[in-house]
Amino acid sequence: QVQLVESGGGLVQAGGSLRLSCVVSGSTFSISAMGWYRQAPGKQRDLVAAIRSGGTINYAESVKGRFTISRDNAKNTMYLQMNSLKPEDTAVYYCNVRGFSAARLIEYWGQGTQVTVSS
C-alpha cells in the first residue's frame, strides 16, 4: 500500500512561483519513475515532467526553462518548482509514481492539487 500526499498548490499571479511537493509513504517497492502530470477542464491529463530512477529528466516543451523537477530520496519526496507561471499553466497537478512489486508494474496517483494562475 503506497500513498502519495501532495501540497503546495494555490492561486498566484502571472509571473509568480509555486513549489509543489509529493511525499511518498507506505510499502516499499522498486520505483521506476516519478513525475508530475496536469489536467485542465475538458482536456486530457498530460505529462509535465518526469524523473527516472537513473536520474534522467524529461520536461514538456511548454514548461522547459520555467519548471524544475527534483527528488529527495532521504525524505521520500518529489518536488516541482514552478517559476514564471502563466495563465495557461492553470490545471490540477497530479503526482505519479511507477514501479514494480512482485515483478508487476504498479502505478500510483496523488489526489491532485489545484494551481491557478491569474492574469
Side-chain angles (χ1 to χ4, degrees):
Q1 191 79 280
V2 174
Q3 293 178 305
L4 279 59
V5 180
E6 300 169 315
S7 62
L11 173 64
V12 298
Q13 291 183 308
S17 299
L18 285 173
R19 188 177 76 157
L20 306 183
S21 299
C22 175
V23 180
V24 181
S25 63
S27 300
T28 300
F29 70 108
S30 180
I31 296 175
S32 297
M34 305 177 70
W36 291 94
Y37 291 72
R38 67 185 181 187
Q39 185 171 25
K43 298 184 181 295
Q44 67 179 10
R45 188 174 299 183
D46 293 324
L47 176 69
V48 177
I51 180 168
R52 297 169 61 183
S53 60
T56 302
I57 296 174
N58 292 292
Y59 294 99
E61 287 295 325
S62 60
V63 307
K64 282 185 176 179
R66 299 188 297 120
F67 291 10
T68 303
I69 187 172
S70 63
R71 64 186 178 188
D72 187 334
N73 291 332
K75 297 180 179 179
N76 292 322
T77 302
M78 178 178 64
Y79 305 96
L80 184 67
Q81 179 66 47
M82 304 184 294
N83 298 326
S84 302
L85 283 162
K86 305 174 181 180
E88 49 263 45
D89 294 319
T90 295
V92 177
Y93 284 69
Y94 297 91
C95 177
N96 173 268
V97 177
R98 297 177 180 180
F100 289 91
S101 179
R104 292 188 62 191
L105 179 64
I106 300 178
E107 187 174 49
Y108 298 95
W109 292 93
Q111 79 285 352
T113 183
Q114 178 71 48
V115 172
T116 303
V117 184
S118 62
S119 59

